[in-house]
Amino acid sequence: MDYPILTVGLIMAPRGIGTLAMMPVAGYLMDRLDVRWLLLGGWLLCGVSLLMMTRVNLEMDAWLMVIAGTLQGGGVAMLFVSITTAMFATVKPRLRNEATAMNSLFRNMGGSMWIAILQAQTVK
């Protein structure tokens, strides 16, 4: 869309800002709600943002990406906090170093594989 690089960064920044803002909120809610409610909230926020992104086209306004990105960032924060907390709740303290390494490995490998799969699908 011929946006300058600075404008692209400003349009994409709300996703990170949404994640940053929602992390402490999700941590606060973890003490008060069942983890399944946070997972549901995270999936719903991500789903709403992806539904909004179905309207992306070359004539769209940048605010669509700002709002959808903020919602997606908040949803991802709720998902990461709740999944990580639920996972570590069942790990013995002496095994937490290994569990942290495995969590990072699987998260990075899973993300990389999905990016590769989605990229291969768009090339066809």
Side-chain angles (χ1 to χ4, degrees):
M1 296 178 67
D2 292 328
Y3 285 149
I5 295 298
L6 180 61
T7 304
V8 172
L10 291 173
I11 291 170
M12 298 303 292
R15 181 173 287 120
I17 293 169
T19 302
L20 183 68
M22 188 56 82
M23 285 278 189
V25 173
Y28 175 80
L29 292 174
M30 282 298 299
D31 293 335
R32 287 153 182 78
L33 296 174
D34 187 354
V35 70
R36 292 173 287 194
W37 289 109
L38 283 175
L39 286 170
L40 177 65
W43 284 116
L44 287 175
L45 281 176
C46 286
V48 167
S49 74
L50 292 175
L51 187 62
M52 290 174 72
M53 286 186 214
T54 61
R55 296 184 297 176
V56 169
N57 59 51
L58 292 176
E59 288 84 33
M60 69 176 204
D61 189 278
W63 283 105
L64 174 66
M65 291 306 295
V66 169
I67 295 168
T70 304
L71 289 175
Q72 186 179 37
V76 166
M78 289 179 75
L79 289 172
F80 278 163
V81 168
S82 56
I83 288 171
T84 304
T85 303
M87 180 194 72
F88 280 105
T90 60
V91 175
K92 294 177 182 162
R94 64 182 177 81
L95 297 174
R96 287 197 178 136
N97 288 338
E98 289 82 2
T100 301
M102 294 303 290
N103 182 40
S104 296
L105 172 71
F106 286 125
R107 190 178 63 222
N108 289 330
M109 290 296 293
S112 298
M113 286 190 304
W114 277 113
I115 288 169
I117 289 168
L118 291 174
Q119 182 61 35
Q121 292 297 316
T122 59
V123 171
K124 287 184 177 181

